[in-house]
Amino acid sequence: MYETIKQEAMAAAREICQAAKLRRGQILVVGCSTSEVTGHKVGSDSSPAIGQAIYEGIQAVLAPQGIYLAAQCCEHLNRAIILEAEAAGSQEICNVVPQPKAGGSFATAAYHGFRHPVALEEVRADAGLDIGGTLIGMHLKKVAVPVRLEQKRVGQAIILAARVRPKYIGGERAGYDENLK
């Protein structure tokens, strides 16, 4: 089961990276309910092993491309973000270490898997994966565009995906760069 979940997470990560045209140094925010992955109500059955499998699957795609993973914690940590320190730059960090029941199993796996993890209150990511209805929208840049993935689930959890695009400004007479859509 864990290998299947890891493969499903990898497939979703590959798809969103391609659809969002993510490049080295950009950020993919991922929210994940391991409870939903196993067919339970969000927040009711946290699974460290499932969180680890999903983290490993996603990182197997992102790390070789130099794309940063931002792991969203659960609501018990106000949906804080766990991120590599180098990606956080000069943003103000918070002092918290996620746990399976306070932060979530996926964020806990990321915290222990990153070289130099930090917690932030927020991030403005370039794309996102929401595995199990964790509400990642607050961590995306201003104009989010839904992306329909072929990989529709990780385990029992529905996947919602988004990419971002620059704001269109200037009205009907303005011209736009079609490569930025």
Side-chain angles (χ1 to χ4, degrees):
M1 173 171 86
Y2 299 108
E3 188 59 33
T4 299
I5 287 170
K6 181 178 176 178
Q7 292 301 316
E8 290 170 346
M10 286 175 71
R14 271 191 220 99
E15 279 190 72
I16 192 61
C17 286
Q18 183 177 15
K21 300 176 183 164
L22 292 178
R23 301 177 313 277
R24 179 172 297 282
Q26 290 189 304
I27 297 173
L28 174 71
V29 63
V30 177
C32 175
S33 169
T34 59
S35 299
E36 290 276 334
V37 171
T38 59
H40 298 90
K41 181 181 170 198
V42 67
S44 67
D45 193 30
S46 190
S47 170
I50 297 289
Q52 185 67 35
I54 294 168
Y55 167 74
E56 288 175 7
I58 291 171
Q59 275 296 79
V61 174
L62 301 186
Q65 297 181 63
I67 298 168
Y68 292 108
L69 169 61
Q72 178 181 274
C73 294
C74 70
E75 65 181 301
H76 294 96
L77 294 186
N78 296 326
R79 293 190 175 86
I81 292 292
I82 305 302
L83 188 67
E84 285 284 7
E86 65 190 37
S90 64
Q91 294 184 68
E92 186 175 353
I93 64 170
C94 302
N95 186 357
V96 70
V97 176
Q99 309 295 316
K101 295 285 188 178
S105 291
F106 173 70
T108 300
Y111 186 90
H112 293 292
F114 289 161
R115 291 182 316 272
H116 302 289
V118 296
L120 304 174
E121 286 188 286
E122 62 184 5
V123 71
R124 292 287 169 235
D126 303 287
L129 288 175
D130 184 329
I131 303 169
T134 60
L135 303 175
I136 61 166
M138 68 186 79
H139 294 301
L140 292 170
K141 291 179 179 173
K142 293 247 183 199
V143 184
V145 178
V147 175
R148 304 289 181 243
L149 302 179
E150 291 294 318
Q151 183 67 46
K152 307 246 184 262
R153 293 182 180 271
V154 171
Q156 303 275 328
I158 294 170
I159 301 172
L160 300 174
R163 64 176 179 83
V164 299
R165 66 161 175 78
K167 295 177 185 178
Y168 293 149
I169 60 171
E172 65 185 39
R173 292 185 292 175
Y176 300 107
D177 183 341
E178 294 298 317
N179 293 320
L180 295 178
K181 286 187 171 184

